[in-house]
Amino acid sequence: MERSQIINLAAGPSSLPLEVLQEATAGLLNYEGTGIGLTELSHRSQEFQNLTNSLEKSIRDILNVPATHTILFTQGGGCGQFSAVVFNLLARHHLLYPELKPEERVMDYVVTGSWSKKAAEEARKLGGGLVNIVTDGREHSPSGKAFDRIPPHMSWEFSHAPAFIYYCDNETVDGVQFSHTPNSQTAFPFHLLPQSTGLAPIPLVADFSSSFLSRPIPNIEQYGLIYAGAQKNVGPSGLTILIVRKDLLVDTDAAAKLGAAPTPTTYSYKVLADAGSLYNTPPMFSMYVSYLVVKHFASQGGLTMLEERNREKQALVYGAVDEGVEKGLFVGKVEKESRSWMNVTFTVVDAEAEKRFIAKATEKGLRGVKGHR
Ligand code: PMP
């Protein structure tokens, strides 16, 4: 099969623009006339330093990241951040409120799908504080078991003064996403967030792994931390992008002296920031391709263009899914108002029909139709 005959629908790692791959191929052999391929350069060379700065600037520009936030590049993926968030933000909480007992340190998790559920489980495993489930999408589904909607705002129960509040913008496996229409019942309820009565703001943390750079992020200035693995929308796997408000860059070693769990050095946001994302060898190739992708997006009209394109794409695909549901061929999975623009989930009525559907799709060049088991 030729590349041009395929429509690759894989959720991530996923397809990348052809022009970018062509440019990256050339850079892999000879990066900007240096005579050295990008992955053969020293990560401490001036050329790579310039690339890191360009990637940082391109993300800052396209997303309108305010000067209050720093952009960091690291490894370990979304799953690595499930742990890093807990280490760094409990360390910050220890520095702010050293006298509290572990049971008085509460981490608020909004569970709307399998990734936020996993993040909450990791926090529980790491300990050092209690996990409060603000709301669990399953409890609001007809079966009581499915992640099929953003739970109604009136069901959300935040703690009084949590160390942080965590949610996932787009649940890749379940196909559940927060709306970005202000005042919608399925938008993230910024107006309900508990306000700090203590020494510092309560950080809002969001996993944007599978919706990063698919459309603008409303209220970006209100987040303490946004993170995303590159491999869904931005580049090859290996790179994790962090947008961190600067007051979250705390001395995790000092916090450990006050009783916080010691933070592994490569997880410490402050260590990363102080080293300009070069504490250890970064994922150079993924950073390179990600830069080319962001530059490509910017040249095509940036997030306004992507938002429009993605709006059209999701409408087309859900149109087909709804038609299949009407004809009794498909079963939809997610309530309309909570549907993801990035991951369209549905099942085919029975296993035999599903096999036929996937075979036909493959024949027509549609790959990656069969999603998560
Ligand atoms: N969060 C979300 C929303 C994801 O989609 C994924 C990956 N599918 C992860 C976290 C985990 O990311 P990684 O595989 O990079 O650890």
Side-chain angles (χ1 to χ4, degrees):
M1 280 266 194
E2 290 300 317
R3 205 183 153 84
S4 58
Q5 295 172 283
I6 296 290
I7 295 177
N8 178 4
L9 298 172
S14 40
S15 64
L16 291 166
L18 178 63
E19 302 90 315
V20 164
L21 292 176
Q22 282 164 336
E23 193 175 345
T25 307
L28 202 50
L29 296 172
N30 185 350
Y31 181 67
E32 300 210 327
T34 53
I36 301 175
L38 183 274
T39 59
E40 302 161 301
L41 284 171
S42 163
H43 61 295
R44 305 209 181 270
S45 63
Q46 190 57 52
E47 288 86 357
F48 191 71
Q49 183 63 62
N50 293 346
L51 174 64
T52 306
N53 295 344
S54 302
L55 175 59
E56 201 266 357
K57 184 170 180 337
S58 65
I59 293 174
R60 188 174 291 284
D61 289 349
I62 204 165
L63 267 174
N64 269 324
V65 178
T68 43
H69 290 61
T70 189
I71 303 177
L72 303 175
F73 305 112
T74 187
Q75 308 194 30
C79 292
Q81 287 309 305
F82 295 171
S83 328
V85 163
V86 176
F87 281 114
N88 282 275
L89 298 191
L90 284 185
R92 175 180 179 271
H93 204 246
H94 269 270
L95 290 168
L96 287 168
Y97 311 107
E99 73 289 353
L100 295 183
K101 302 186 191 80
E103 62 274 20
E104 292 172 313
R105 300 187 193 280
V106 183
M107 300 173 270
D108 269 7
Y109 279 79
V110 175
V111 176
T112 52
S114 51
W115 289 110
S116 46
K117 176 172 165 276
K118 268 203 168 142
E121 282 162 4
E122 182 71 3
R124 206 170 275 132
K125 180 168 122 183
L126 291 174
L130 294 182
V131 170
N132 169 49
I133 303 297
V134 174
T135 180
D136 184 320
R138 287 170 297 189
E139 289 168 10
H140 302 274
S141 71
S143 68
K145 290 185 195 149
F147 287 118
D148 66 357
R149 70 196 62 213
I150 299 297
H153 291 166
M154 57 183 284
S155 71
W156 294 43
E157 286 181 31
F158 291 104
S159 314
H160 169 60
F164 61 88
I165 296 156
Y166 181 103
Y167 81 98
C168 176
D169 178 65
N170 180 55
E171 286 287 355
T172 322
V173 171
D174 309 280
V176 172
Q177 183 173 22
F178 282 92
S179 159
H180 70 326
T181 308
N183 305 325
S184 153
Q185 263 305 304
T186 55
F188 188 81
F190 286 91
H191 60 288
L192 295 182
L193 290 175
Q195 295 307 312
S196 172
T197 50
L199 301 170
I202 300 166
L204 175 64
V205 176
D207 175 359
F208 268 79
S209 287
S210 49
S211 50
F212 196 67
L213 299 195
S214 63
R215 60 192 192 189
I217 300 180
N219 307 312
I220 191 165
E221 71 290 343
Q222 292 197 35
Y223 290 86
L225 167 69
I226 286 172
Y227 72 82
Q231 71 270 19
K232 311 285 184 206
N233 299 331
V234 193
S237 60
L239 169 64
T240 317
I241 299 165
L242 312 175
I243 301 177
V244 193
R245 203 176 58 222
K246 289 175 185 163
D247 64 293
L248 270 54
L249 306 172
V250 298
D251 185 340
T252 48
D253 290 339
K257 287 189 189 131
L258 296 176
T263 302
T265 311
T266 53
Y267 274 3
S268 164
Y269 297 149
K270 183 171 176 358
V271 167
L272 257 181
D274 288 349
S277 296
L278 285 179
Y279 174 74
N280 64 333
T281 318
M284 295 172 68
F285 184 67
S286 181
M287 287 171 72
Y288 174 45
V289 178
S290 297
Y291 169 58
L292 297 179
V293 170
V294 182
K295 194 171 70 156
H296 175 77
F297 286 161
S299 75
Q300 296 209 329
L303 289 184
T304 318
M305 172 280 295
L306 286 168
E307 180 176 24
E308 248 346 279
R309 190 189 286 174
N310 288 330
R311 187 192 306 283
E312 284 169 20
K313 275 161 60 173
Q314 60 85 27
L316 270 174
V317 183
Y318 282 118
V321 170
D322 289 344
E323 205 181 312
V325 172
E326 240 165 66
K327 289 182 179 160
L329 301 170
F330 298 156
V331 181
K333 290 195 93 77
V334 177
E335 275 244 304
K336 275 201 172 138
E337 300 301 314
S338 307
R339 282 170 160 183
S340 164
W341 281 22
M342 302 310 296
N343 307 97
V344 178
T345 51
F346 62 96
T347 48
V348 184
V349 276
D350 63 62
E352 273 315 303
E354 180 172 299
K355 267 191 208 147
R356 284 201 305 279
F357 177 74
I358 292 168
K360 268 283 178 217
T362 309
E363 206 180 291
K364 290 191 173 286
L366 286 167
R367 305 299 290 269
V369 171
K370 189 169 166 57
H372 196 271
R373 64 192 176 278

